[in-house]
Amino acid sequence: MAFVYPHQIRFHETDGAGVIYFANVLTLCHEAYEASLAAVAIDLGQFFDPHGSRSGMAVPIVHADVDFFRPMRCGDRILIQLTPQRLKPSEFEIRYQIWPEPPSTRPSSVPEQALKQAETYAPRPLAQATTRHVCIAVGNSSEGSRRDRSRTPLSPDLDRWLQLWQR
Amino acid sequence: MAFVYPHQIRFHETDGAGVIYFANVLTLCHEAYEASLAAVAIDLGQFFDPHGSRSGMAVPIVHADVDFFRPMRCGDRILIQLTPQRLKPSEFEIRYQIWPEPPSTRPSSVPEQALKQAETYAPRPLAQATTRHVCIAVGNSSEGSRRDRSRTPLSPDLDRWLQLWQR
Amino acid sequence: MAFVYPHQIRFHETDGAGVIYFANVLTLCHEAYEASLAAVAIDLGQFFDPHGSRSGMAVPIVHADVDFFRPMRCGDRILIQLTPQRLKPSEFEIRYQIWPEPPSTRPSSVPEQALKQAETYAPRPLAQATTRHVCIAVGNSSEGSRRDRSRTPLSPDLDRWLQLWQR
Amino acid sequence: MAFVYPHQIRFHETDGAGVIYFANVLTLCHEAYEASLAAVAIDLGQFFDPHGSRSGMAVPIVHADVDFFRPMRCGDRILIQLTPQRLKPSEFEIRYQIWPEPPSTRPSSVPEQALKQAETYAPRPLAQATTRHVCIAVGNSSEGSRRDRSRTPLSPDLDRWLQLWQR
């Protein structure tokens, strides 16, 4: 199943044109990614630790792209649907579709039900995006983290996360 | 009663020191402010409209301050307690206290109950902040909005919001 | 010739991993775009006006992508090379290449000379990105700006900008 | 003498009201602080290192405040005047005044001359702000950096920086 992350567009996410600033759409996608990790009990502080000192692994983004179909304004409620997919043993991709939240769904529905209604309600998403991530081994020291960035297979935690949210 | 806004620190809110970037604490306070407005059914798109063309009013911030007591890291769950107070007919202040969310409170508790536990759990907040806002009349046209920025009393909506969340 | 925008990575642009937050690379590219417009005396306040009330035109981004080759850290000095290209009468694309600034170039060199040295100094860029933009006609009123978003050819100003910076 | 940092307001710094987002004014002040450190050859990557592993010291912000007098719009050129002041052996404060850049000063003037003209040109600043910083000793390891945050006097580098830019 896909992970669904509800969000209301915040004022600081908009720009002088009154709509969400383009690069902030990718930031919202990353927020959904973080929420999907937390949803399988991955410790975000450890996962995103600067030197991977506790996990021995870092998962930098090597590519991102985003297409904008309709503007999003301050206060708009959206649903971000996230679907990861493994590309290589050490690499995965996440696809995001952003939908307007149908007015009738709040607040009783769970995000997954709201998404079903959103797909019926709207002919196509407001935006879609992709991020591609590679797992690399990082040393324990601050110096080590800058060398030795060789690829390493996904950790068991990430593997579990990917199994759960991929379609 | 105070309004309570739960939040989990996001990766993009942190900086190279591994903790939340100082100015982002004020951004989180503004997010809590937006949520407190939405909670009394104020339309955020209209409230923050660039030219106040629909409401005839804008509410710019004229002052902000923030004190930092303890660092916040990526993934930390916090509670932002918000309390507005009227200073003049056209001016109000919001005070914010940011607390760590006690681990035991999730996910069953409502934010207000979690806050009570947080105040017992932690000796003092992680941070506290203030923002001061004035209501001004703005013209309907894009030109008008740049002149005629005279003070005007709080709208009935804002008055209702203030009555509800002030102690 | 290409436009070259020098920048030093700021602390708020980094994240808890000690490197620039991925979406901020696109934000820096947009800063370079703004600087390239200002360099041909385009008024940024008017160009990015919320309702296009003064120019009658808006130029939203419809697509962006970015590839990351090497991390950028706080304090790193970079050069963003920007090259626009027309795709249709109403649509253009900008390509960005981000290079490390060679230490020896500062501060005497002009950005264009520094770029030449950078291309010799580094085997490949730190990152590359693309943004795609369409010109649309927008009404004069706040209501009008939300309808009537039909495509329109590039303005003479944008045409001049494109002629100058395309290769 | 005071340090002067020129800046042109960027689109991503504005919000849906068409002016700079309030918390971003503090971010710009921090950019000026970083530039003032770089101007005395302090290595920013080392100074803001997550674990202070190379410098053994961190300088977190413990307080910030900001007053807004006039809005700043996309494309506006400003001058940020920065003046540090020592409060205790381990603590200093920075005051910032933000001025509109007089149109006639560009591009021949150095920032310090432009500031003189700005003070004549404008009756008062667009905004003013303060940040307060404390120096703390941090351990070499990632664990150590989270304990042992005892106050320590300013480093010789910071002392030199303070001597130079304080009035």
Side-chain angles (χ1 to χ4, degrees), chain B residues 16 50 62-68, chain D residues 16 30 50 62-68:
Chain B
V62 294
H63 170 84
D65 60 67
V66 53
D67 293 287
F68 307 94
Chain D
H30 200 279
V62 295
H63 170 84
D65 59 68
V66 53
D67 293 286
F68 307 94

Side-chain angles (χ1 to χ4, degrees), chain D residues 4-19:
Chain D
V4 181
Y5 180 71
H7 179 75
Q8 182 171 34
I9 305 296
R10 294 294 171 210
F11 191 48
H12 72 91
E13 293 161 356
T14 62
D15 58 31
V19 300

Side-chain angles (χ1 to χ4, degrees), chain C residues 92-133:
Chain C
F92 62 92
E93 186 177 89
I94 308 175
R95 295 190 177 218
Y96 311 85
Q97 287 198 311
I98 302 183
W99 299 87
E101 182 176 322
S104 60
T105 61
R106 281 188 312 276
S108 56
S109 304
V110 295
E112 288 72 17
Q113 292 169 340
L115 179 66
K116 279 220 185 69
Q117 295 179 39
E119 288 170 329
T120 314
Y121 169 75
R124 64 169 182 169
L126 300 165
Q128 65 188 17
T130 314
T131 53
R132 205 152 61 233
H133 307 241

Side-chain angles (χ1 to χ4, degrees), chain A residues 57-59 90-92 133-137 150-154 158:
Chain A
M57 193 186 78
V59 192
S90 62
E91 190 171 338
F92 61 92
H133 307 242
V134 295
C135 293
I136 57 175
S150 59
R151 288 183 171 233
T152 186
L154 272 64
L158 263 181

Side-chain angles (χ1 to χ4, degrees), chain D residues 89-149:
Chain D
S90 61
E91 190 171 338
F92 62 91
E93 186 177 87
I94 307 175
R95 295 190 177 218
Y96 311 85
Q97 286 199 310
I98 302 183
W99 299 87
E101 182 175 322
S104 59
T105 62
R106 278 189 312 278
S108 57
S109 304
V110 294
E112 287 73 17
Q113 292 171 341
L115 179 68
K116 280 221 183 68
Q117 295 180 40
E119 289 170 329
T120 314
Y121 170 73
R124 66 169 180 167
L126 300 165
Q128 66 188 18
T130 313
T131 53
R132 205 151 60 232
H133 307 242
V134 295
C135 294
I136 57 175
V138 293
N140 213 328
S141 72
S142 93
E143 283 313 301
S145 70
R146 305 199 171 186
R147 303 189 213 104
D148 305 338
R149 300 174 71 91

Side-chain angles (χ1 to χ4, degrees), chain A:
Chain A
M1 70 185 160
F3 180 77
V4 182
Y5 180 71
H7 179 75
Q8 182 170 34
I9 305 297
R10 292 296 169 209
F11 192 48
H12 72 92
E13 293 162 356
T14 63
D15 58 31
V19 300
I20 193 170
Y21 181 68
F22 83 110
N24 286 344
V25 173
L26 285 172
T27 300
L28 292 186
C29 289
H30 200 279
E31 289 198 6
Y33 167 48
E34 294 171 49
S36 75
L37 292 169
V40 297
I42 289 178
D43 180 308
L44 298 182
Q46 187 168 335
F47 188 83
F48 292 108
D49 183 70
H51 299 300
S53 54
R54 286 173 289 173
S55 67
M57 193 186 78
V59 192
I61 293 173
V62 294
H63 170 84
D65 59 68
V66 55
D67 293 286
F68 307 94
F69 303 122
R70 278 162 51 203
M72 293 171 247
R73 293 192 165 75
C74 182
D76 285 359
R77 287 177 187 272
I78 60 172
L79 298 169
I80 305 180
Q81 177 187 15
L82 172 163
T83 321
Q85 192 186 348
R86 188 193 299 266
L87 300 180
K88 295 178 189 173
S90 62
E91 190 171 338
F92 61 92
E93 187 178 86
I94 308 175
R95 295 188 178 221
Y96 310 85
Q97 286 199 312
I98 302 183
W99 300 87
E101 183 176 321
S104 59
T105 62
R106 278 191 310 278
S108 55
S109 302
V110 294
E112 288 73 16
Q113 292 171 341
L115 179 67
K116 280 221 184 68
Q117 295 179 38
E119 289 171 329
T120 314
Y121 169 74
R124 65 169 182 167
L126 300 166
Q128 66 188 17
T130 313
T131 53
R132 205 151 61 232
H133 307 242
V134 295
C135 293
I136 57 175
V138 292
N140 213 327
S141 73
S142 93
E143 283 312 300
S145 70
R146 305 198 170 188
R147 305 189 214 104
D148 305 338
R149 300 173 72 91
S150 59
R151 288 183 171 233
T152 186
L154 272 64
S155 66
D157 268 359
L158 263 181
D159 204 67
R160 185 166 48 90
W161 165 83
L162 198 140
Q163 296 286 343
L164 182 61
W165 302 127
Q166 76 187 347
R167 279 188 192 273

